[in-house]
Amino acid sequence: MARPKIALIGAGQIGGTLAHLAAMKELGDVVLFDIAEGTPQGKALDIAQSGPSEGFDASLKGANDYADIAGADVCIVTAGVPRKPGMSRDDLLGINLKVMKSVGEGIAKHAPDAFVICITNPLDAMVWALQKFSGLPANKVCGMAGVLDSARFRHFLSLEFGVSMKDVTAFVLGGHGDTMVPLTRYSTVAGIPLPDLVEMGWTTQEKLDAIVQRTRDGGAEIVGLLKTGSAFYAPATSAIEMAESYLKDQKRVLPCAAHVTGAYGLDGLYVGVPTVIGANGIEKVVDIALDADEQAMFDNSVNAVKGLVEACKGIEPSLI
Ligand code: APR
């Protein structure tokens, strides 16, 4: 049987890391696509040359032509520009919307059966636009945010409790960014919910609140340290976890930006929710009960996402 084909649209910091991880995990053959000439080819060649030491069997190719992604099983999209000083939110939206248009058209033409994972920011609006521009079924287009946000939450919690990250589970809902909703009562250490751990004296509510805030600010903390560019190792790992669940039909329960209709009282909005990812893409949206405080935070997050989507419609009237 032929190996799966993984197309990475955008060969920047995250794209290159995705290619390296996909090859090392032997998820399939990799095509790195970018508009910059030489970059995807150079990264593909460099990673391929790590193969003899790593001992992986995967081919890597760099491309500037969408024809090279033909028949891809998975497309992971990081194409776009980051927000630069002096650039307004709408400037960024306008630029990355144009990028999503060209990417969506390229995928629709050459890889219409792919499972598509968008990473480009502002995430919830970009994945919504990408699904519209590509015309692919909504269950085959999703965005990576929740796996990363909950990984950050799990990391900080493991530091606080002094336990293995493997034993910490965490739940994050809502849009990617300041309004994300870390759900403490659904987050656990070896099955013990965080509020119980506060009662048991393992931590205090104040410390927990500070960890929640640090999780919300997780991306900005790294931007502040790096000074140029944003996080790329953990974002790439998170998207690879989602791609692997699809390719191997693992049916992992992973939070991601999914097209939600019906659940959570939503009507066709892309927002971070728990999902089941398997061979049919987003196979299920898990509709959990929220208490009044959680619902208020979720509504706030949904409104922020709706604001971005409306701004996209204002910039690109063909998106309705
Ligand atoms: N088509 C294809 N590639 C494009 C296009 C386009 N229309 N426009 C830009 N690119 C490429 C750039 O040439 C660059 O190589 O997208 C790549 C983006 O890479 P980086 O700038 O290194 O950004 P990265 O750190 O990988 O993040 C990508 O993910 O987390 C988000 O906010 C982040 O939106 C950003 C995206």
Side-chain angles (χ1 to χ4, degrees):
M1 211 206 323
R3 290 196 285 252
K5 179 167 173 176
I6 299 161
L8 307 173
I9 317 294
Q13 295 280 57
I14 300 177
T17 312
L18 285 167
H20 197 196
L21 287 169
M24 298 232 292
K25 287 175 167 276
E26 293 191 327
L27 291 185
D29 291 335
V30 176
V31 175
L32 265 166
F33 172 93
D34 205 289
I35 47 167
E37 287 179 19
T39 305
Q41 291 84 357
K43 291 196 179 186
L45 187 57
D46 188 10
I47 295 166
Q49 290 168 357
S50 73
S53 304
E54 278 298 336
F56 59 71
D57 285 310
S59 79
L60 290 117
K61 181 177 181 177
N64 302 114
D65 186 340
Y66 273 106
D68 285 307
I69 73 161
D73 299 287
V74 170
C75 295
I76 307 180
V77 178
T78 59
V81 301
R83 189 160 167 179
K84 300 195 182 82
M87 197 188 266
S88 74
R89 186 198 67 171
D90 284 357
D91 292 340
L92 178 73
L93 268 185
I95 294 168
N96 282 350
L97 255 187
K98 278 209 186 80
V99 175
M100 290 306 108
K101 189 166 196 289
S102 63
V103 173
E105 289 167 358
I107 292 174
K109 185 164 180 205
H110 298 284
D113 297 323
F115 180 55
V116 180
I117 302 169
C118 181
I119 305 185
T120 303
N121 276 319
L123 191 267
D124 304 272
M126 290 303 106
V127 64
W128 172 84
L130 183 61
Q131 191 271 329
K132 294 257 178 211
F133 285 132
S134 69
L136 265 62
N139 64 308
K140 298 293 282 294
V141 182
C142 65
M144 188 293 295
V147 175
L148 172 63
D149 293 330
S150 56
R152 286 176 171 154
F153 197 23
R154 287 169 67 189
H155 171 63
F156 297 144
L157 289 169
S158 80
L159 293 178
E160 167 62 11
F161 294 122
V163 300
S164 166
M165 287 187 258
K166 286 188 279 193
D167 294 323
V168 181
T169 63
F171 224 122
V172 176
L173 281 181
H176 186 44
D178 309 340
T179 62
M180 78 175 77
V181 185
L183 289 181
T184 52
R185 75 192 172 101
Y186 285 113
S187 305
T188 76
V189 172
I192 309 166
L194 296 184
D196 292 11
L197 290 165
V198 172
E199 275 182 29
M200 288 157 63
W202 274 38
T203 188
T204 61
Q205 191 58 47
E206 290 69 36
K207 283 185 179 167
L208 205 50
D209 291 345
I211 290 172
V212 165
Q213 194 53 44
R214 192 174 178 197
T215 303
R216 286 203 177 103
D217 298 336
E221 182 175 359
I222 291 180
V223 168
L225 290 166
L226 292 178
K227 301 200 176 56
T228 56
S230 47
F232 53 99
Y233 292 113
T237 308
S238 304
I240 288 290
E241 198 175 352
M242 293 165 66
E244 188 170 17
S245 188
Y246 171 76
L247 288 167
K248 298 183 179 171
D249 194 22
Q250 290 171 331
K251 305 203 189 292
R252 297 281 313 277
V253 181
L254 297 171
C256 71
H259 189 264
V260 188
T261 300
Y264 296 95
L266 296 175
D267 180 21
L269 194 71
Y270 269 93
V271 69
V273 287
T275 66
V276 176
I277 300 180
N280 291 315
I282 302 297
E283 298 187 347
K284 189 180 168 90
V285 167
V286 184
D287 195 2
I288 54 170
L290 301 177
D291 67 22
D293 285 349
E294 292 159 354
Q295 188 67 49
M297 283 192 282
F298 187 67
D299 291 346
N300 181 39
S301 193
V302 162
N303 285 336
V305 174
K306 281 184 178 164
L308 285 174
V309 165
E310 287 309 314
C312 287
K313 288 179 182 169
I315 295 166
E316 176 71 52
S318 70
L319 287 170
I320 40 165

